[in-house]
Amino acid sequence: MKIAVLGTGMVGQALAGRLSELGHDVVVGTRDPEATLGRTEPDGMGNPPFSAWHQQHPAIGLAPFADAAAAGELVVNATGGTTTLSVLEQAGADNLAGKVLIDISNPLDFSNGFPPTLFVKDTDSLGEQVQRAFPEVRVVKTLNTLNANLMVRPKDLGAESTVFVSGDDATAKATVTELLQSFGHTDVIDLGDISTARGTEMLLPVWLRLMGALETPFFNFKIVR
Ligand code: NAP
């Protein structure tokens, strides 16, 4: 499948790399490809620049958000929560219309430092904001509750764990569930319509405290029932 991954951070790299390895035709979306490839310094978290990753993945294209979205039959949103709506505007409603959009973003507000707070919660979610802003897009919220590397290689944990899907379109959720299974996910819980993204987005304060207590991001939720 032709897949556009919007976002050049660690989530975008993890998704794009794994999807390409699984045989998909992948293009990564960014604001300005030349500027993105021109960055040579590690990011704020000490991760190598996108250009270093891209050199090791020459088959993966890099294009402005709009061109990437136009090329993808399915689109992944792997951008920060505070910029998600503006990135999707740049991607273009026409380029997204009718497509499945996997939304991995979290509504984290780092403006007062760490730990971040949620800028939308309880009565709304970022997933719903995206679905409302782009009514012709088939939004599926998923993978926002685990670390980027585990999103695409859950078996690295050495034990079964759980991921969630939320969305209004049953066919879109089935497509996404198949992709999740191709990554190695064996327990995918369909929580219901896109409003259930409130639940998974509000898991982030728990996830962040777990990371602090366990001193590692390599863990995941497992729902025993
Ligand atoms: P990120 O640093 O949050 O986002 C990177 C992307 O955001 C880049 O493509 C960048 O564009 C774009 N961007 C930054 N500022 C922008 C602006 N002002 N206008 C337009 N675009 C802008 O990436 P990430 O750490 O990979 O996280 C992606 C999302 O996944 C986040 O919502 C995060 O909460 C969620 N998530 C992350 C993890 C994890 O393990 N990191 C786990 C679960 C969920 P350029 O390419 O042009 O620089």
PDB file of all heavy atoms in Angstrom, residues 124-160:
ATOM      1  N   ASP A 124     -13.632  16.104  25.565  1.00  0.00           N
ATOM      2  CA  ASP A 124     -13.223  16.177  24.157  1.00  0.00           C
ATOM      3  C   ASP A 124     -11.839  15.531  24.068  1.00  0.00           C
ATOM      4  O   ASP A 124     -11.216  15.207  25.100  1.00  0.00           O
ATOM      5  CB  ASP A 124     -13.172  17.652  23.707  1.00  0.00           C
ATOM      6  CG  ASP A 124     -13.169  17.813  22.185  1.00  0.00           C
ATOM      7  OD1 ASP A 124     -13.333  16.804  21.470  1.00  0.00           O
ATOM      8  OD2 ASP A 124     -12.999  18.959  21.721  1.00  0.00           O
ATOM      9  N   SER A 125     -11.377  15.317  22.853  1.00  0.00           N
ATOM     10  CA  SER A 125     -10.047  14.730  22.665  1.00  0.00           C
ATOM     11  C   SER A 125      -9.459  15.284  21.380  1.00  0.00           C
ATOM     12  O   SER A 125     -10.174  15.830  20.532  1.00  0.00           O
ATOM     13  CB  SER A 125     -10.144  13.205  22.569  1.00  0.00           C
ATOM     14  OG  SER A 125     -10.928  12.843  21.437  1.00  0.00           O
ATOM     15  N   LEU A 126      -8.148  15.098  21.233  1.00  0.00           N
ATOM     16  CA  LEU A 126      -7.488  15.539  20.004  1.00  0.00           C
ATOM     17  C   LEU A 126      -8.001  14.714  18.820  1.00  0.00           C
ATOM     18  O   LEU A 126      -8.214  15.252  17.728  1.00  0.00           O
ATOM     19  CB  LEU A 126      -5.963  15.399  20.166  1.00  0.00           C
ATOM     20  CG  LEU A 126      -5.092  15.965  19.066  1.00  0.00           C
ATOM     21  CD1 LEU A 126      -5.428  17.419  18.748  1.00  0.00           C
ATOM     22  CD2 LEU A 126      -3.621  15.837  19.459  1.00  0.00           C
ATOM     23  N   GLY A 127      -8.225  13.435  19.050  1.00  0.00           N
ATOM     24  CA  GLY A 127      -8.777  12.591  17.979  1.00  0.00           C
ATOM     25  C   GLY A 127     -10.094  13.144  17.460  1.00  0.00           C
ATOM     26  O   GLY A 127     -10.336  13.203  16.246  1.00  0.00           O
ATOM     27  N   GLU A 128     -10.959  13.569  18.376  1.00  0.00           N
ATOM     28  CA  GLU A 128     -12.253  14.144  17.958  1.00  0.00           C
ATOM     29  C   GLU A 128     -12.063  15.488  17.264  1.00  0.00           C
ATOM     30  O   GLU A 128     -12.778  15.810  16.305  1.00  0.00           O
ATOM     31  CB  GLU A 128     -13.153  14.327  19.182  1.00  0.00           C
ATOM     32  CG  GLU A 128     -13.691  13.014  19.739  1.00  0.00           C
ATOM     33  CD  GLU A 128     -14.267  13.217  21.124  1.00  0.00           C
ATOM     34  OE1 GLU A 128     -13.490  13.150  22.108  1.00  0.00           O
ATOM     35  OE2 GLU A 128     -15.480  13.462  21.238  1.00  0.00           O
ATOM     36  N   GLN A 129     -11.102  16.278  17.756  1.00  0.00           N
ATOM     37  CA  GLN A 129     -10.856  17.581  17.102  1.00  0.00           C
ATOM     38  C   GLN A 129     -10.427  17.364  15.656  1.00  0.00           C
ATOM     39  O   GLN A 129     -10.866  18.084  14.758  1.00  0.00           O
ATOM     40  CB  GLN A 129      -9.779  18.358  17.871  1.00  0.00           C
ATOM     41  CG  GLN A 129     -10.249  18.827  19.240  1.00  0.00           C
ATOM     42  CD  GLN A 129      -9.208  19.681  19.962  1.00  0.00           C
ATOM     43  OE1 GLN A 129      -8.037  19.731  19.586  1.00  0.00           O
ATOM     44  NE2 GLN A 129      -9.628  20.339  21.041  1.00  0.00           N
ATOM     45  N   VAL A 130      -9.576  16.358  15.444  1.00  0.00           N
ATOM     46  CA  VAL A 130      -9.122  16.054  14.078  1.00  0.00           C
ATOM     47  C   VAL A 130     -10.315  15.584  13.234  1.00  0.00           C
ATOM     48  O   VAL A 130     -10.517  16.052  12.108  1.00  0.00           O
ATOM     49  CB  VAL A 130      -8.010  14.969  14.104  1.00  0.00           C
ATOM     50  CG1 VAL A 130      -7.705  14.467  12.697  1.00  0.00           C
ATOM     51  CG2 VAL A 130      -6.747  15.521  14.765  1.00  0.00           C
ATOM     52  N   GLN A 131     -11.125  14.692  13.786  1.00  0.00           N
ATOM     53  CA  GLN A 131     -12.271  14.179  13.023  1.00  0.00           C
ATOM     54  C   GLN A 131     -13.260  15.303  12.693  1.00  0.00           C
ATOM     55  O   GLN A 131     -13.798  15.365  11.589  1.00  0.00           O
ATOM     56  CB  GLN A 131     -12.960  13.063  13.824  1.00  0.00           C
ATOM     57  CG  GLN A 131     -14.088  12.381  13.064  1.00  0.00           C
ATOM     58  CD  GLN A 131     -13.617  11.667  11.805  1.00  0.00           C
ATOM     59  OE1 GLN A 131     -13.150  10.557  11.851  1.00  0.00           O
ATOM     60  NE2 GLN A 131     -13.754  12.309  10.647  1.00  0.00           N
ATOM     61  N   ARG A 132     -13.474  16.233  13.642  1.00  0.00           N
ATOM     62  CA  ARG A 132     -14.399  17.354  13.385  1.00  0.00           C
ATOM     63  C   ARG A 132     -13.847  18.310  12.326  1.00  0.00           C
ATOM     64  O   ARG A 132     -14.583  18.812  11.484  1.00  0.00           O
ATOM     65  CB  ARG A 132     -14.654  18.154  14.680  1.00  0.00           C
ATOM     66  CG  ARG A 132     -15.682  17.522  15.598  1.00  0.00           C
ATOM     67  CD  ARG A 132     -16.231  18.559  16.586  1.00  0.00           C
ATOM     68  NE  ARG A 132     -15.219  19.219  17.389  1.00  0.00           N
ATOM     69  CZ  ARG A 132     -14.712  18.750  18.528  1.00  0.00           C
ATOM     70  NH1 ARG A 132     -15.132  17.592  19.005  1.00  0.00           N
ATOM     71  NH2 ARG A 132     -13.787  19.415  19.200  1.00  0.00           N
ATOM     72  N   ALA A 133     -12.531  18.551  12.395  1.00  0.00           N
ATOM     73  CA  ALA A 133     -11.914  19.496  11.448  1.00  0.00           C
ATOM     74  C   ALA A 133     -11.850  18.916  10.036  1.00  0.00           C
ATOM     75  O   ALA A 133     -11.857  19.660   9.058  1.00  0.00           O
ATOM     76  CB  ALA A 133     -10.510  19.871  11.932  1.00  0.00           C
ATOM     77  N   PHE A 134     -11.791  17.575   9.940  1.00  0.00           N
ATOM     78  CA  PHE A 134     -11.669  16.906   8.636  1.00  0.00           C
ATOM     79  C   PHE A 134     -12.728  15.816   8.543  1.00  0.00           C
ATOM     80  O   PHE A 134     -12.420  14.616   8.629  1.00  0.00           O
ATOM     81  CB  PHE A 134     -10.250  16.343   8.464  1.00  0.00           C
ATOM     82  CG  PHE A 134      -9.187  17.393   8.520  1.00  0.00           C
ATOM     83  CD1 PHE A 134      -8.597  17.736   9.726  1.00  0.00           C
ATOM     84  CD2 PHE A 134      -8.818  18.086   7.376  1.00  0.00           C
ATOM     85  CE1 PHE A 134      -7.650  18.745   9.799  1.00  0.00           C
ATOM     86  CE2 PHE A 134      -7.874  19.099   7.434  1.00  0.00           C
ATOM     87  CZ  PHE A 134      -7.294  19.429   8.646  1.00  0.00           C
ATOM     88  N   PRO A 135     -13.992  16.231   8.382  1.00  0.00           N
ATOM     89  CA  PRO A 135     -15.088  15.244   8.465  1.00  0.00           C
ATOM     90  C   PRO A 135     -15.032  14.154   7.401  1.00  0.00           C
ATOM     91  O   PRO A 135     -15.619  13.089   7.592  1.00  0.00           O
ATOM     92  CB  PRO A 135     -16.347  16.113   8.309  1.00  0.00           C
ATOM     93  CG  PRO A 135     -15.891  17.445   7.824  1.00  0.00           C
ATOM     94  CD  PRO A 135     -14.462  17.598   8.203  1.00  0.00           C
ATOM     95  N   GLU A 136     -14.328  14.419   6.295  1.00  0.00           N
ATOM     96  CA  GLU A 136     -14.267  13.391   5.245  1.00  0.00           C
ATOM     97  C   GLU A 136     -13.120  12.405   5.442  1.00  0.00           C
ATOM     98  O   GLU A 136     -12.940  11.480   4.650  1.00  0.00           O
ATOM     99  CB  GLU A 136     -14.165  14.065   3.875  1.00  0.00           C
ATOM    100  CG  GLU A 136     -15.464  14.774   3.511  1.00  0.00           C
ATOM    101  CD  GLU A 136     -15.364  15.454   2.160  1.00  0.00           C
ATOM    102  OE1 GLU A 136     -14.881  14.840   1.220  1.00  0.00           O
ATOM    103  OE2 GLU A 136     -15.781  16.625   2.090  1.00  0.00           O
ATOM    104  N   VAL A 137     -12.335  12.607   6.476  1.00  0.00           N
ATOM    105  CA  VAL A 137     -11.220  11.696   6.778  1.00  0.00           C
ATOM    106  C   VAL A 137     -11.732  10.624   7.734  1.00  0.00           C
ATOM    107  O   VAL A 137     -12.593  10.887   8.569  1.00  0.00           O
ATOM    108  CB  VAL A 137     -10.058  12.499   7.418  1.00  0.00           C
ATOM    109  CG1 VAL A 137      -8.912  11.581   7.773  1.00  0.00           C
ATOM    110  CG2 VAL A 137      -9.586  13.579   6.470  1.00  0.00           C
ATOM    111  N   ARG A 138     -11.208   9.412   7.580  1.00  0.00           N
ATOM    112  CA  ARG A 138     -11.641   8.307   8.449  1.00  0.00           C
ATOM    113  C   ARG A 138     -10.578   8.109   9.531  1.00  0.00           C
ATOM    114  O   ARG A 138      -9.633   7.355   9.359  1.00  0.00           O
ATOM    115  CB  ARG A 138     -11.857   7.060   7.606  1.00  0.00           C
ATOM    116  CG  ARG A 138     -12.934   7.325   6.525  1.00  0.00           C
ATOM    117  CD  ARG A 138     -12.667   6.544   5.276  1.00  0.00           C
ATOM    118  NE  ARG A 138     -12.965   5.145   5.454  1.00  0.00           N
ATOM    119  CZ  ARG A 138     -12.419   4.166   4.719  1.00  0.00           C
ATOM    120  NH1 ARG A 138     -11.537   4.436   3.785  1.00  0.00           N
ATOM    121  NH2 ARG A 138     -12.769   2.931   4.944  1.00  0.00           N
ATOM    122  N   VAL A 139     -10.753   8.855  10.634  1.00  0.00           N
ATOM    123  CA  VAL A 139      -9.719   8.906  11.676  1.00  0.00           C
ATOM    124  C   VAL A 139      -9.776   7.655  12.564  1.00  0.00           C
ATOM    125  O   VAL A 139     -10.842   7.263  13.045  1.00  0.00           O
ATOM    126  CB  VAL A 139      -9.919  10.150  12.577  1.00  0.00           C
ATOM    127  CG1 VAL A 139      -8.842  10.211  13.665  1.00  0.00           C
ATOM    128  CG2 VAL A 139      -9.924  11.430  11.746  1.00  0.00           C
ATOM    129  N   VAL A 140      -8.611   7.057  12.768  1.00  0.00           N
ATOM    130  CA  VAL A 140      -8.490   5.959  13.738  1.00  0.00           C
ATOM    131  C   VAL A 140      -7.368   6.328  14.708  1.00  0.00           C
ATOM    132  O   VAL A 140      -6.215   6.492  14.314  1.00  0.00           O
ATOM    133  CB  VAL A 140      -8.156   4.608  13.058  1.00  0.00           C
ATOM    134  CG1 VAL A 140      -8.000   3.510  14.113  1.00  0.00           C
ATOM    135  CG2 VAL A 140      -9.239   4.238  12.048  1.00  0.00           C
ATOM    136  N   LYS A 141      -7.737   6.518  15.952  1.00  0.00           N
ATOM    137  CA  LYS A 141      -6.731   6.821  16.982  1.00  0.00           C
ATOM    138  C   LYS A 141      -6.151   5.507  17.473  1.00  0.00           C
ATOM    139  O   LYS A 141      -6.895   4.598  17.870  1.00  0.00           O
ATOM    140  CB  LYS A 141      -7.404   7.518  18.161  1.00  0.00           C
ATOM    141  CG  LYS A 141      -6.427   7.987  19.204  1.00  0.00           C
ATOM    142  CD  LYS A 141      -6.178   9.436  18.969  1.00  0.00           C
ATOM    143  CE  LYS A 141      -4.908   9.930  19.553  1.00  0.00           C
ATOM    144  NZ  LYS A 141      -4.819  11.382  19.328  1.00  0.00           N
ATOM    145  N   THR A 142      -4.846   5.393  17.444  1.00  0.00           N
ATOM    146  CA  THR A 142      -4.214   4.170  17.949  1.00  0.00           C
ATOM    147  C   THR A 142      -2.741   4.424  18.228  1.00  0.00           C
ATOM    148  O   THR A 142      -2.188   5.455  17.799  1.00  0.00           O
ATOM    149  CB  THR A 142      -4.382   3.003  16.941  1.00  0.00           C
ATOM    150  OG1 THR A 142      -3.968   1.780  17.576  1.00  0.00           O
ATOM    151  CG2 THR A 142      -3.562   3.198  15.680  1.00  0.00           C
ATOM    152  N   LEU A 143      -2.090   3.509  18.924  1.00  0.00           N
ATOM    153  CA  LEU A 143      -0.640   3.485  19.167  1.00  0.00           C
ATOM    154  C   LEU A 143      -0.113   4.650  19.994  1.00  0.00           C
ATOM    155  O   LEU A 143       1.103   4.760  20.174  1.00  0.00           O
ATOM    156  CB  LEU A 143       0.137   3.425  17.833  1.00  0.00           C
ATOM    157  CG  LEU A 143       0.003   2.144  17.020  1.00  0.00           C
ATOM    158  CD1 LEU A 143       0.821   2.258  15.717  1.00  0.00           C
ATOM    159  CD2 LEU A 143       0.458   0.923  17.810  1.00  0.00           C
ATOM    160  N   ASN A 144      -1.005   5.526  20.503  1.00  0.00           N
ATOM    161  CA  ASN A 144      -0.532   6.688  21.268  1.00  0.00           C
ATOM    162  C   ASN A 144      -0.192   6.319  22.709  1.00  0.00           C
ATOM    163  O   ASN A 144       0.260   7.174  23.460  1.00  0.00           O
ATOM    164  CB  ASN A 144      -1.582   7.813  21.251  1.00  0.00           C
ATOM    165  CG  ASN A 144      -2.903   7.380  21.842  1.00  0.00           C
ATOM    166  OD1 ASN A 144      -3.410   6.321  21.482  1.00  0.00           O
ATOM    167  ND2 ASN A 144      -3.470   8.165  22.736  1.00  0.00           N
ATOM    168  N   THR A 145      -0.386   5.045  23.087  1.00  0.00           N
ATOM    169  CA  THR A 145      -0.189   4.648  24.486  1.00  0.00           C
ATOM    170  C   THR A 145       1.077   3.817  24.700  1.00  0.00           C
ATOM    171  O   THR A 145       1.207   3.159  25.738  1.00  0.00           O
ATOM    172  CB  THR A 145      -1.403   3.835  24.979  1.00  0.00           C
ATOM    173  OG1 THR A 145      -1.624   2.751  24.054  1.00  0.00           O
ATOM    174  CG2 THR A 145      -2.651   4.683  25.050  1.00  0.00           C
ATOM    175  N   LEU A 146       1.986   3.818  23.715  1.00  0.00           N
ATOM    176  CA  LEU A 146       3.237   3.095  23.931  1.00  0.00           C
ATOM    177  C   LEU A 146       4.382   3.750  23.174  1.00  0.00           C
ATOM    178  O   LEU A 146       4.152   4.581  22.292  1.00  0.00           O
ATOM    179  CB  LEU A 146       3.109   1.597  23.588  1.00  0.00           C
ATOM    180  CG  LEU A 146       2.978   1.113  22.149  1.00  0.00           C
ATOM    181  CD1 LEU A 146       3.096  -0.406  22.127  1.00  0.00           C
ATOM    182  CD2 LEU A 146       1.666   1.509  21.535  1.00  0.00           C
ATOM    183  N   ASN A 147       5.577   3.378  23.550  1.00  0.00           N
ATOM    184  CA  ASN A 147       6.796   3.947  22.968  1.00  0.00           C
ATOM    185  C   ASN A 147       6.903   3.643  21.471  1.00  0.00           C
ATOM    186  O   ASN A 147       6.474   2.586  20.999  1.00  0.00           O
ATOM    187  CB  ASN A 147       7.988   3.352  23.730  1.00  0.00           C
ATOM    188  CG  ASN A 147       9.295   3.573  23.024  1.00  0.00           C
ATOM    189  OD1 ASN A 147       9.782   2.724  22.299  1.00  0.00           O
ATOM    190  ND2 ASN A 147       9.857   4.750  23.227  1.00  0.00           N
ATOM    191  N   ALA A 148       7.523   4.567  20.732  1.00  0.00           N
ATOM    192  CA  ALA A 148       7.600   4.464  19.268  1.00  0.00           C
ATOM    193  C   ALA A 148       8.168   3.125  18.792  1.00  0.00           C
ATOM    194  O   ALA A 148       7.634   2.516  17.863  1.00  0.00           O
ATOM    195  CB  ALA A 148       8.466   5.606  18.734  1.00  0.00           C
ATOM    196  N   ASN A 149       9.235   2.672  19.420  1.00  0.00           N
ATOM    197  CA  ASN A 149       9.850   1.415  18.946  1.00  0.00           C
ATOM    198  C   ASN A 149       8.941   0.223  19.211  1.00  0.00           C
ATOM    199  O   ASN A 149       8.865  -0.697  18.391  1.00  0.00           O
ATOM    200  CB  ASN A 149      11.219   1.210  19.605  1.00  0.00           C
ATOM    201  CG  ASN A 149      12.167   2.320  19.225  1.00  0.00           C
ATOM    202  OD1 ASN A 149      12.356   2.600  18.039  1.00  0.00           O
ATOM    203  ND2 ASN A 149      12.724   3.002  20.211  1.00  0.00           N
ATOM    204  N   LEU A 150       8.244   0.264  20.343  1.00  0.00           N
ATOM    205  CA  LEU A 150       7.329  -0.844  20.658  1.00  0.00           C
ATOM    206  C   LEU A 150       6.064  -0.797  19.803  1.00  0.00           C
ATOM    207  O   LEU A 150       5.421  -1.821  19.587  1.00  0.00           O
ATOM    208  CB  LEU A 150       6.964  -0.820  22.144  1.00  0.00           C
ATOM    209  CG  LEU A 150       8.117  -1.142  23.085  1.00  0.00           C
ATOM    210  CD1 LEU A 150       7.651  -0.998  24.534  1.00  0.00           C
ATOM    211  CD2 LEU A 150       8.656  -2.552  22.837  1.00  0.00           C
ATOM    212  N   MET A 151       5.693   0.391  19.316  1.00  0.00           N
ATOM    213  CA  MET A 151       4.517   0.487  18.431  1.00  0.00           C
ATOM    214  C   MET A 151       4.668  -0.486  17.261  1.00  0.00           C
ATOM    215  O   MET A 151       3.707  -1.125  16.844  1.00  0.00           O
ATOM    216  CB  MET A 151       4.414   1.898  17.815  1.00  0.00           C
ATOM    217  CG  MET A 151       4.031   2.985  18.760  1.00  0.00           C
ATOM    218  SD  MET A 151       4.035   4.571  17.856  1.00  0.00           S
ATOM    219  CE  MET A 151       3.948   5.704  19.233  1.00  0.00           C
ATOM    220  N   VAL A 152       5.893  -0.536  16.729  1.00  0.00           N
ATOM    221  CA  VAL A 152       6.109  -1.304  15.494  1.00  0.00           C
ATOM    222  C   VAL A 152       6.796  -2.643  15.738  1.00  0.00           C
ATOM    223  O   VAL A 152       6.878  -3.459  14.823  1.00  0.00           O
ATOM    224  CB  VAL A 152       6.911  -0.464  14.469  1.00  0.00           C
ATOM    225  CG1 VAL A 152       6.089   0.733  14.027  1.00  0.00           C
ATOM    226  CG2 VAL A 152       8.256  -0.033  15.018  1.00  0.00           C
ATOM    227  N   ARG A 153       7.295  -2.865  16.966  1.00  0.00           N
ATOM    228  CA  ARG A 153       7.921  -4.153  17.310  1.00  0.00           C
ATOM    229  C   ARG A 153       7.491  -4.567  18.715  1.00  0.00           C
ATOM    230  O   ARG A 153       8.324  -4.659  19.630  1.00  0.00           O
ATOM    231  CB  ARG A 153       9.447  -4.047  17.279  1.00  0.00           C
ATOM    232  CG  ARG A 153       9.996  -3.779  15.905  1.00  0.00           C
ATOM    233  CD  ARG A 153      11.519  -3.835  15.849  1.00  0.00           C
ATOM    234  NE  ARG A 153      11.954  -3.227  14.623  1.00  0.00           N
ATOM    235  CZ  ARG A 153      11.865  -3.806  13.437  1.00  0.00           C
ATOM    236  NH1 ARG A 153      11.418  -5.036  13.334  1.00  0.00           N
ATOM    237  NH2 ARG A 153      12.231  -3.168  12.349  1.00  0.00           N
ATOM    238  N   PRO A 154       6.184  -4.794  18.920  1.00  0.00           N
ATOM    239  CA  PRO A 154       5.710  -5.106  20.277  1.00  0.00           C
ATOM    240  C   PRO A 154       6.317  -6.391  20.830  1.00  0.00           C
ATOM    241  O   PRO A 154       6.442  -6.540  22.055  1.00  0.00           O
ATOM    242  CB  PRO A 154       4.194  -5.239  20.093  1.00  0.00           C
ATOM    243  CG  PRO A 154       3.996  -5.533  18.643  1.00  0.00           C
ATOM    244  CD  PRO A 154       5.100  -4.813  17.926  1.00  0.00           C
ATOM    245  N   LYS A 155       6.737  -7.290  19.951  1.00  0.00           N
ATOM    246  CA  LYS A 155       7.278  -8.577  20.433  1.00  0.00           C
ATOM    247  C   LYS A 155       8.617  -8.395  21.128  1.00  0.00           C
ATOM    248  O   LYS A 155       9.069  -9.287  21.845  1.00  0.00           O
ATOM    249  CB  LYS A 155       7.396  -9.549  19.266  1.00  0.00           C
ATOM    250  CG  LYS A 155       6.025  -9.943  18.721  1.00  0.00           C
ATOM    251  CD  LYS A 155       6.057 -11.258  17.986  1.00  0.00           C
ATOM    252  CE  LYS A 155       4.639 -11.810  17.875  1.00  0.00           C
ATOM    253  NZ  LYS A 155       4.207 -12.029  16.518  1.00  0.00           N
ATOM    254  N   ASP A 156       9.258  -7.212  20.950  1.00  0.00           N
ATOM    255  CA  ASP A 156      10.525  -6.956  21.637  1.00  0.00           C
ATOM    256  C   ASP A 156      10.356  -6.999  23.154  1.00  0.00           C
ATOM    257  O   ASP A 156      11.330  -7.142  23.886  1.00  0.00           O
ATOM    258  CB  ASP A 156      11.102  -5.584  21.240  1.00  0.00           C
ATOM    259  CG  ASP A 156      11.750  -5.628  19.856  1.00  0.00           C
ATOM    260  OD1 ASP A 156      11.732  -6.712  19.225  1.00  0.00           O
ATOM    261  OD2 ASP A 156      12.246  -4.583  19.402  1.00  0.00           O
ATOM    262  N   LEU A 157       9.120  -6.843  23.640  1.00  0.00           N
ATOM    263  CA  LEU A 157       8.880  -6.901  25.082  1.00  0.00           C
ATOM    264  C   LEU A 157       8.974  -8.327  25.616  1.00  0.00           C
ATOM    265  O   LEU A 157       9.090  -8.544  26.820  1.00  0.00           O
ATOM    266  CB  LEU A 157       7.485  -6.344  25.415  1.00  0.00           C
ATOM    267  CG  LEU A 157       7.355  -4.833  25.562  1.00  0.00           C
ATOM    268  CD1 LEU A 157       5.896  -4.457  25.782  1.00  0.00           C
ATOM    269  CD2 LEU A 157       8.223  -4.319  26.703  1.00  0.00           C
ATOM    270  N   GLY A 158       8.833  -9.293  24.721  1.00  0.00           N
ATOM    271  CA  GLY A 158       8.917 -10.689  25.149  1.00  0.00           C
ATOM    272  C   GLY A 158       7.655 -11.180  25.836  1.00  0.00           C
ATOM    273  O   GLY A 158       7.651 -12.252  26.453  1.00  0.00           O
ATOM    274  N   ALA A 159       6.587 -10.395  25.771  1.00  0.00           N
ATOM    275  CA  ALA A 159       5.308 -10.805  26.370  1.00  0.00           C
ATOM    276  C   ALA A 159       4.196 -10.111  25.593  1.00  0.00           C
ATOM    277  O   ALA A 159       4.424  -9.063  24.996  1.00  0.00           O
ATOM    278  CB  ALA A 159       5.250 -10.388  27.832  1.00  0.00           C
ATOM    279  N   GLU A 160       3.013 -10.698  25.604  1.00  0.00           N
ATOM    280  CA  GLU A 160       1.875 -10.073  24.914  1.00  0.00           C
ATOM    281  C   GLU A 160       1.464  -8.794  25.632  1.00  0.00           C
ATOM    282  O   GLU A 160       1.524  -8.719  26.862  1.00  0.00           O
ATOM    283  CB  GLU A 160       0.679 -11.031  24.934  1.00  0.00           C
ATOM    284  CG  GLU A 160       0.871 -12.259  24.085  1.00  0.00           C
ATOM    285  CD  GLU A 160      -0.387 -12.587  23.306  1.00  0.00           C
ATOM    286  OE1 GLU A 160      -1.478 -12.298  23.810  1.00  0.00           O
ATOM    287  OE2 GLU A 160      -0.247 -13.117  22.192  1.00  0.00           O
TER     288      GLU A 160
END
